[in-house]
């Protein structure tokens, strides 16, 4: 059963604005340009940094064989007319920190970025990447006043990719043959759906024992923290940028791909007024529809518990 989220399709320029030129933002700019998806505007508050990154990316165009324009700027006016706005701005995690530890500082950054960006691109679709992601997406939705189909968070695509990676490594199979679905919040309470994970259509429950699957689920939940602990000076950026680019591609090319994204719910899965990861179809209008899976009692309970945690953090936010 799907709930429709219809809105008129608008004619928009092939331009993506990325707010935050850190590792995720700059890598995303590279992904979008080299896939030849859209022109890119890379914005940051640090003078010279986005301009330098944009010039560096421009100088690679002849090698990478694309002709996309890449602009670096400190001025939101340069993002005007963007079809998609991606917010990656905010402080990254440090070792020992949870995503929720970033709440107070990043809430102010994301709300300000959302307000500034929507003023210049009122018809844009927004994708939030900043952590804690579900709460930041909710705050951006409030700040922009957008209909829920035009604002979403990048989480489930990344978490699902991590689950798929760990399954492929465990079984020694081609990663492209592994498909998985992770719902819930982007944190320790995410809900990897093991019975929906398959290798060329074969459920992993037929290939792995329960203890091994639980170990892979735990590693998936701690996937971001594992990278932070290893790197010490920052967090993941290659995989988050790739996950975001998949969402951008599905929207710009109207692919209608079924992807797990953080969406604002109004009754789906028995949840209201909360942003949480669920399977959605992404196309030109953003979230074209939300798919309601038939969850088991334990899966549904886990999803609701995850949503309850997000609600508590929303209430803690200084921007509410």
């Amino acid at each position: 059963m799907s709930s429709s989220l219809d809105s008129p399709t608008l004619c928009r320029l092939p331009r993506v604005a990325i707010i935050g030129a850190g590792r995720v933002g700059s890598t995303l700019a590279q992904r979008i340009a080299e896939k030849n998806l859209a022109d890119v505007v890379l914005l940051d508050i640090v003078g010279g940094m986005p301009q330098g990154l944009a010039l560096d990316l421009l100088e690679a165009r002849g090698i990478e064989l694309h002709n996309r324009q890449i602009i670096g700027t400190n001025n939101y006016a340069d993002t005007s007319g963007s079809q998609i706005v991606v917010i990656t701005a905010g402080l990254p995690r440090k070792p020992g920190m949870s995503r929720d530890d970033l709440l107070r500082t990043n809430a102010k950054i994301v709300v300000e970025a959302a307000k500034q960006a929507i003023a210049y691109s009122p018809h844009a679709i927004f994708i939030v990447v900043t952590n804690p992601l579900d709460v930041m997406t909710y705050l951006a939705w409030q700040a922009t006043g957008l209909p829920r189909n035009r604002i979403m968070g990048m989480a489930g695509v990344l978490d699902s990719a991590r689950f798929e990676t760990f399954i492929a490594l465990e079984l020694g199979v081609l990663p492209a043959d592994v498909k998985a679905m992770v719902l819930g919040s982007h944190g320790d309470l995410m809900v990897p759906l093991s019975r929906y994970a398959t290798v060329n259509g074969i459920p992993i429950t037929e290939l792995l024992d329960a203890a091994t699957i639980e170990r892979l689920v735990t590693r998936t939940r701690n996937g971001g923290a594992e990278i932070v602990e290893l790197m010490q000076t920052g967090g993941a950026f290659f995989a988050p940028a790739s996950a975001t680019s998949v969402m951008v591609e599905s929207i710009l090319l109207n692919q209608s791909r079924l992807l797990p994204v953080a969406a604002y719910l109004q009754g789906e899965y028995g949840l209201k007024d909360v942003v949480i990861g669920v399977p959605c179809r992404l196309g030109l209008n953003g979230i074209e529809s939300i798919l309601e899976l038939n969850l088991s009692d334990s899966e549904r309970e886990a999803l609701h518990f995850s949503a309850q945690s997000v609600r508590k953090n929303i209430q803690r936010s200084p921007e509410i």
Side-chain angles (χ1 to χ4, degrees), residues 101-120:
D101 291 334
L102 303 171
L103 178 61
R104 184 169 295 274
T105 299
N106 285 354
K108 295 178 181 178
I109 293 172
V110 167
V111 167
E112 179 63 21
K115 287 179 177 178
Q116 293 260 32
I118 193 68
Y120 290 100

Side-chain angles (χ1 to χ4, degrees), residues 119-172:
Y120 290 100
S121 300
H123 301 299
I125 292 166
F126 279 61
I127 300 174
V128 180
V129 183
T130 307
N131 280 318
L133 186 138
D134 308 274
V135 180
M136 295 301 108
T137 305
Y138 186 95
L139 296 179
W141 166 74
Q142 278 197 328
T144 57
L146 286 171
R148 63 176 181 148
N149 63 301
R150 285 174 48 201
I151 188 157
M152 66 199 77
M154 185 290 299
V157 178
L158 172 62
D159 297 328
S160 298
R162 286 173 171 162
F163 195 22
E164 290 165 357
T165 296
F166 301 145
I167 292 169
L169 289 172
E170 185 71 26
L171 291 171

